[in-house]
Every structure is written in C-alpha cells, then in structure tokens.
Amino acid sequence: MDGNNTAAKREKRRRQKEKSRVLILVGAIVSGSLVYYHCAYRGASVVSLISDVLIVLLCSLAILGLLFRQLTIQVPVDPLEWQISQDTANSIVAWLANTIGAAESVFRVAATGHDKRLFFKVVISLYILSALGRLVSGVTVAYAGLCLFCLYMLAETSQSVSQFLRGRNGNTDTSEQDIM
C-alpha cells in the first residue's frame, strides 16, 4: 500500500514538473516575441525596452495594490517570504557551473588540436554564426534561438509524456515505437 502511495506521489510530482515546464516555455515564447517586436520592428533600444518593462510592472503592481486594498486582501510584501530554498539555489549554480565548464572544456580541447573533428565542428559553427550575424540582426538570431530551444524542450516534454502514456496503458509493443 505504501509503495503505491509513494509511486502516486512521485507521478503527481512528475506531472506537475512537466506542467510547469510547459508554462515556462510558453512564458519564454511570449516574452521573446515581445522583446523581438520591441527591438526589431519598433527599432527601439534595450534601454527603452527595460524602461517600458519597468513602467508596465510599476503600473500593474499599483493597480493590483489598489484592487487588493479595495477587496481587503492582505498581500505579503516581506521579501524574506519570497526566498528560494538552498537546494534550488545550489542546483541553479551547479547547472550554470556545469554549462560554463562544458563550454570551456570544448573550447580547450578544440584549441589544443588534440581532437581534429571537434576543432572543425567548432570552427564551422563559429563561422556559420558569424555569417548569420552579418545577415540578420542580433535580436532576430536571439529570437530564433529562443524558439528553437522552446521547440526542443517541448519535444522533450512531449516524448516523456508519450512514453508515460504508452507505459500507463500497458502498451510495450516496440513496433509502434519504431513507427514514431
């Protein structure tokens, strides 16, 4: 009985994690689209973007504050209540350190010339990025990268969801998996 309860809790946490990942992706796409529109189509600078975002946040918070005061809803304004856990902070820093370390080791190996294939991959990637940067604006490249990243994360999430559904229905036929 305890094993089923633990498995159910674990499954519920996994579903919540997938839902939050999809919500983050949607938020990233919306934010990226707004930044792209503001900087690329309107031709505004990054300083203008930051000031517009701060103005919208300030006005939104003021309106919410007035609304909450009218509805007599208490809102915690103590920043100590908004802190993230130590585990979350450690995982964020560890992810950032691993990412930077991996990029540094790739460049180190490519620069020493021990791995010729890696060296040519890095050179070709940098050349393509350089040519792409000359053809289109940096905002367009950043937006395209954001969209590709979100599509990748969405595909990764949908694969785990489809694997979950196949496992839940008891369908372990590999011929169906080969078709996909």
Side-chain angles (χ1 to χ4, degrees):
M1 198 84 150
D2 250 356
N4 290 338
N5 194 15
T6 305
K9 285 182 182 179
R10 199 175 311 132
E11 187 60 34
K12 185 177 180 181
R13 274 185 269 157
R14 191 184 64 74
R15 285 183 193 162
Q16 288 174 345
K17 194 173 187 180
E18 287 178 2
K19 285 180 186 178
S20 66
R21 185 180 293 171
V22 170
L23 287 175
I24 289 171
L25 290 175
V26 169
I29 289 174
V30 169
S31 300
S33 299
L34 291 173
V35 168
Y36 181 74
Y37 168 75
H38 189 83
C39 293
Y41 284 118
R42 287 187 52 205
S45 67
V46 176
V47 174
S48 173
L49 171 69
I50 292 171
S51 66
D52 286 348
V53 167
L54 290 176
I55 288 171
V56 168
L57 284 175
L58 179 67
C59 293
S60 300
L61 290 174
I63 291 170
L64 283 174
L66 291 172
L67 180 67
F68 287 157
R69 192 177 314 146
Q70 289 295 325
L71 298 174
T72 62
I73 298 174
Q74 295 293 327
V75 180
V77 290
D78 187 11
L80 294 176
E81 295 179 19
W82 298 346
Q83 289 182 352
I84 61 173
S85 69
Q86 188 67 32
D87 291 337
T88 305
N90 288 340
S91 66
I92 290 170
V93 171
W95 173 81
L96 186 62
N98 287 338
T99 304
I100 292 171
E104 185 266 335
S105 68
V106 166
F107 281 121
R108 185 182 334 116
V109 169
T112 58
H114 292 300
D115 189 356
K116 301 292 185 202
R117 290 182 67 196
L118 180 62
F119 172 76
F120 286 119
K121 284 181 184 178
V122 169
V123 168
I124 289 171
S125 299
L126 291 175
Y127 183 73
I128 289 171
L129 287 175
S130 173
L132 187 64
R134 290 184 190 135
L135 292 175
V136 294
S137 70
V139 177
T140 304
V141 173
Y143 181 65
L146 174 71
C147 289
L148 289 175
F149 175 73
C150 289
L151 286 174
Y152 167 75
M153 293 300 291
L154 193 62
E156 185 179 283
T157 302
S158 66
Q159 284 178 355
S160 64
V161 169
S162 64
Q163 288 174 356
F164 166 72
L165 290 176
R166 273 196 296 268
R168 183 175 176 192
N169 295 334
N171 186 3
T172 57
D173 187 17
T174 57
S175 62
E176 183 180 327
Q177 293 174 355
D178 292 339
I179 293 172
M180 291 182 181

